[in-house]
Amino acid sequence: MLILVTNDDGIEAKGVHQLIDALLPFGEVVCVCPDSPRSAQSMAITVNGPLSATELPSYHGARMYKVNGTPVDCVKLSMHALLPCRPSLVVSGINHGSNASINVMYSGTMGAAMEGCVFGIPSIGFSLTDHSPDADFDHCIPFVKKIVAWTLQHGLPEGICLNVNIPVTLSRPHRCRVVRACKGNWSDEYKEYVNPHGQKFYWLTGNFINEEPESTDTDEYCLAHGMVSVVPTKIDQTVKSDVVPGIMELE
Amino acid sequence: MLILVTNDDGIEAKGVHQLIDALLPFGEVVCVCPDSPRSAQSMAITVNGPLSATELPSYHGARMYKVNGTPVDCVKLSMHALLPCRPSLVVSGINHGSNASINVMYSGTMGAAMEGCVFGIPSIGFSLTDHSPDADFDHCIPFVKKIVAWTLQHGLPEGICLNVNIPVTLSRPHRCRVVRACKGNWSDEYKEYVNPHGQKFYWLTGNFINEEPESTDTDEYCLAHGMVSVVPTKIDQTVKSDVVPGIMELE
């Protein structure tokens, strides 16, 4: 039983070490992470440059590698060159910050989980709604263990991975719900600056806007009410052709 | 009528200039592209660094900007800071290379189109199955014009954009079909090298494997038979919660 662990916060992040500790009881763990934080890298891959992997001292028995690439690069390179055999599970995280709602599209954590899914391996991304480097992950661990145990036992449908988000404070009794990604968006403001040469530059900021705060079947609702959200997420984004019927008639 | 044009091959690519020429008859065009090639950037965004936009000489009347970021950065920054008003359409491409099948997940071209879709704007990515910098786009132009005209007239459903791929050689009569993304994957090999210090490094290569070459309703089938493929692509990847029923019972 081999488990591949990765993340997008980089090999030094607290969240990935906590994740490894949670997974070691299940089997052999190999951890392959970006050598520095690669947040919001989505499924970006390195196609026009070289990659290298450096083995680091093991952590509590887990083999550790850092890669000078994205989270998806880490999964691809692991599968090709680093792992001793095909893993039974790919687990990404625990991310420092939410990947609920629309964030899943930009998330490197979920990019890695989706790549595991591309390889046909049951894959899960875990995220905590706290960006701080020293976030407290203790309450995440029982959920990580339960969801991993369930997934190892039952598998996941082809082409579907899990996006698990965990709130900072849990309601009592502790609960986990399978829900859908909330409709929402970022206000996407940019803070404007002027450099010493008089030229403008920009830095992304903005606020998340929940477009359906009253809906009770969304990940954002769960998180706002102290529950862990599990969103089954599929990699094929095709919708039925009849949504654009007229285009069929173009010659 | 304002159209935002972007791509992932960078501001100097032939494909985006051909696209601008095709779109100018429809209205005002503003082109905002990465300052260098950003292939396979998916929906990556720049969150931990500054962005700048540099206006370049106009091209056939279109305002031109280069941005030191990803394709999605280009769309976000355009919406916030560069465009004079909300565009009626976001068009990305014409990409030098296919974005059919699984490639859509890694594609910066389609990342930009999906970001336009996030903003609620009808959005289309166009790609030609030829990677060469001097690819011949002439036969693409009638399809670009027809699909853009159709989309401007009818709009697109909320949360859905179009992934259009065009083969190098068209069948006769010229045809366009609305299909689904083909199941397929990359063999994801890495060519291994040894650096002057004796350390290994890797460069991504591999071959595309069509997992369903007999299916006639896929984008890969269209392209292999000289037809233009249109795949309606949705940004919400949630699947129904009953695919993982057992997780509901975890406390």
Side-chain angles (χ1 to χ4, degrees), chain A residues 39-53 72-73 76-77 80-81 102 105-106 114-115 118-119 143 146-147 150 156-158 160 162 174-181 183 188-190 192 200-204 230-241 243-244 246-248 250-251, chain B residues 39-53 72-73 76-77 80-81 102 105-106 114-115 118-119 143 146-147 150 156-158 160 162 174-181 183 188-190 192 200-204 230-241 243-244 246-248 250-251:
Chain A
S39 291
Q41 285 294 294
S42 189
M43 294 194 73
I45 52 177
T46 303
V47 291
N48 293 320
L51 290 175
S52 58
V72 173
D73 287 334
K76 284 186 182 292
L77 195 60
H80 174 72
I102 196 173
M105 301 175 70
Y106 309 106
M114 289 185 211
E115 183 64 23
V118 167
F119 278 100
F143 285 100
K146 284 177 185 173
I147 293 169
W150 187 91
L156 290 173
E158 183 186 343
I160 294 173
L162 300 182
H174 294 177
R175 287 177 63 200
C176 164
R177 284 182 61 203
V178 182
V179 287
R180 62 181 173 82
K183 287 185 190 173
D188 275 339
E189 294 165 9
Y190 282 84
E192 290 191 20
K200 279 186 190 173
F201 65 97
Y202 306 88
W203 204 299
L204 185 63
V230 180
V231 176
T233 302
K234 85 174 160 176
I235 56 175
D236 178 7
Q237 295 173 261
T238 304
V239 287
K240 288 182 180 170
S241 61
V243 299
V244 286
I247 287 181
M248 290 291 279
L250 297 176
E251 67 174 16
Chain B
S39 291
Q41 285 294 294
S42 190
M43 294 195 73
I45 52 177
T46 302
V47 291
N48 293 319
L51 291 174
S52 59
V72 173
D73 287 334
K76 285 185 182 291
L77 194 60
H80 173 72
I102 196 172
M105 300 175 70
Y106 309 107
M114 289 185 211
E115 183 65 23
V118 167
F119 277 100
F143 285 100
K146 285 176 184 173
I147 292 169
W150 187 92
L156 290 173
E158 183 187 344
I160 294 174
L162 299 181
H174 294 177
R175 289 178 61 201
C176 164
R177 284 183 62 203
V178 182
V179 287
R180 63 182 173 83
K183 287 184 191 175
D188 275 338
E189 293 164 10
Y190 282 84
E192 292 190 20
K200 280 187 190 171
F201 65 97
Y202 305 88
W203 205 298
L204 185 62
V230 179
V231 176
T233 302
K234 86 174 160 177
I235 55 175
D236 179 6
Q237 295 173 260
T238 304
V239 287
K240 288 182 180 170
S241 60
V243 300
V244 285
I247 287 182
M248 288 292 278
L250 297 177
E251 68 174 16

Side-chain angles (χ1 to χ4, degrees), chain B residues 24-219:
Chain B
L24 281 168
F26 292 95
E28 182 184 354
V29 174
V30 176
C31 175
V32 183
C33 291
D35 56 6
S36 60
R38 303 283 185 128
S39 291
Q41 285 294 294
S42 190
M43 294 195 73
I45 52 177
T46 302
V47 291
N48 293 319
L51 291 174
S52 59
T54 307
E55 186 158 10
L56 304 171
S58 68
Y59 171 76
H60 295 178
R63 282 168 60 197
M64 304 288 284
Y65 294 89
K66 64 176 181 180
V67 170
N68 63 336
T70 67
V72 173
D73 287 334
C74 289
V75 175
K76 285 185 182 291
L77 194 60
S78 296
M79 293 297 291
H80 173 72
L82 303 177
L83 297 181
C85 63
R86 184 176 167 88
S88 301
L89 198 68
V90 174
V91 189
S92 182
I94 302 172
N95 191 58
H96 295 243
S98 170
N99 281 315
S101 184
I102 196 172
N103 299 300
V104 67
M105 300 175 70
Y106 309 107
S107 165
T109 304
M110 283 306 298
M114 289 185 211
E115 183 65 23
C117 190
V118 167
F119 277 100
I121 302 164
S123 299
I124 312 170
F126 289 100
S127 304
L128 172 67
T129 61
D130 182 349
H131 277 98
S132 62
D134 65 343
D136 180 0
F137 292 93
D138 286 353
H139 65 292
C140 303
I141 304 306
F143 285 100
V144 169
K145 290 185 175 180
K146 285 176 184 173
I147 292 169
V148 163
W150 187 92
T151 303
L152 285 172
Q153 186 180 351
H154 297 90
L156 290 173
E158 183 187 344
I160 294 174
C161 57
L162 299 181
N163 181 18
V164 179
N165 283 273
I166 303 166
V168 171
T169 304
L170 292 171
S171 58
R172 292 189 176 277
H174 294 177
R175 289 178 61 201
C176 164
R177 284 183 62 203
V178 182
V179 287
R180 63 182 173 83
C182 184
K183 287 184 191 175
N185 60 69
W186 286 88
S187 59
D188 275 338
E189 293 164 10
Y190 282 84
K191 187 167 179 183
E192 292 190 20
Y193 302 82
V194 176
N195 75 15
H197 307 291
Q199 296 151 336
K200 280 187 190 171
F201 65 97
Y202 305 88
W203 205 298
L204 185 62
T205 177
N207 296 300
F208 176 73
I209 300 163
N210 183 336
E211 292 178 7
E212 44 174 351
E214 307 303 322
S215 301
T216 61
D217 62 341
T218 72
D219 48 10

Side-chain angles (χ1 to χ4, degrees), chain A residues 31-170:
Chain A
C31 175
V32 183
C33 292
D35 56 5
S36 59
R38 302 284 185 126
S39 291
Q41 285 294 294
S42 189
M43 294 194 73
I45 52 177
T46 303
V47 291
N48 293 320
L51 290 175
S52 58
T54 306
E55 186 158 8
L56 303 171
S58 68
Y59 171 77
H60 293 178
R63 282 169 60 199
M64 305 288 284
Y65 294 89
K66 62 176 182 179
V67 170
N68 62 336
T70 67
V72 173
D73 287 334
C74 289
V75 175
K76 284 186 182 292
L77 195 60
S78 296
M79 293 297 291
H80 174 72
L82 303 177
L83 297 182
C85 63
R86 184 176 167 88
S88 301
L89 197 68
V90 174
V91 189
S92 182
I94 302 171
N95 192 57
H96 295 243
S98 171
N99 281 314
S101 184
I102 196 173
N103 299 301
V104 66
M105 301 175 70
Y106 309 106
S107 164
T109 304
M110 283 307 298
M114 289 185 211
E115 183 64 23
C117 190
V118 167
F119 278 100
I121 301 164
S123 299
I124 311 169
F126 289 100
S127 304
L128 172 68
T129 61
D130 182 350
H131 277 98
S132 62
D134 64 344
D136 180 0
F137 292 93
D138 286 353
H139 65 292
C140 302
I141 304 308
F143 285 100
V144 169
K145 289 185 174 181
K146 284 177 185 173
I147 293 169
V148 163
W150 187 91
T151 303
L152 285 172
Q153 185 180 352
H154 297 90
L156 290 173
E158 183 186 343
I160 294 173
C161 56
L162 300 182
N163 182 19
V164 180
N165 283 274
I166 302 166
V168 171
T169 304
L170 292 171

